Amino acid sequence: MADKLRRVDYYYVHAPDKPGEGYRVLAAVKEAGVNLLSLTAFPDGKGTTQIDFVTENADGLARAVKGLGLSLSPKHQAFLIQGTDRPGAVAEYFKKLADAGVNIHATNAACCPGGFGMILWVKPESYQKAAKALGV
């Protein structure tokens, strides 16, 4: 199976960094019927956690987090890559971007039996150059 690369929109919220908050947010997202393509969460150093969402249902996501009293960020862009797991799969994409002079801002990758997935962020001013280097 060939790797599938696509441009994606993502949004984020800042939620209190406390036990159960992730569940509260994700339960509301589930209740709204929002399917997530990617989720990344990390402490932002301000007593809150930034939760990044990639979904094809931005309206449902906005309704879900608004009901929790959280503010959804404006739309941002990233790349979602999915493919067959193999040694060096992620390195292949890092090389393409390095060869194009594009700095990777952040990434998160994981594998499961037979496959891998990666969300990859670059700075907004590098997005078009990265898309060209990745062929998407």
Side-chain angles (χ1 to χ4, degrees):
M1 175 176 97
D3 290 351
K4 181 178 179 181
L5 287 81
R6 59 179 155 162
R7 298 172 185 229
V8 293
D9 297 331
Y10 78 92
Y11 305 84
Y12 62 83
V13 297
H14 292 278
D17 188 6
K18 63 182 186 181
E21 191 64 17
Y23 169 72
R24 183 176 85 96
V25 172
L26 291 176
V29 170
K30 176 186 175 186
E31 183 66 28
V34 175
N35 185 48
L36 297 176
L37 302 174
S38 177
L39 171 79
T40 303
F42 52 91
D44 63 11
K46 303 172 189 168
T48 56
T49 294
Q50 180 172 317
I51 306 171
D52 291 2
F53 304 93
V54 176
T55 181
E56 294 170 337
N57 183 356
D59 292 338
L61 177 63
R63 284 191 305 277
V65 300
K66 184 177 180 182
L68 298 174
L70 299 174
S71 298
L72 192 63
S73 74
K75 177 176 69 174
H76 298 277
Q77 295 179 300
F79 300 97
L80 182 65
I81 304 169
Q82 298 166 293
T84 303
D85 188 27
R86 61 194 179 278
V90 171
E92 295 169 17
Y93 294 102
F94 277 42
K95 180 172 181 4
K96 288 180 182 188
L97 294 172
D99 288 350
V102 175
N103 188 44
I104 297 167
H105 181 67
T107 191
N108 187 15
C111 64
C112 60
F116 83 97
M118 174 172 57
I119 184 86
L120 192 143
W121 297 270
V122 298
K123 296 281 188 178
E125 60 270 16
S126 300
Y127 192 76
Q128 293 305 323
K129 188 174 181 181
K132 183 177 179 183
L134 295 171
V136 293

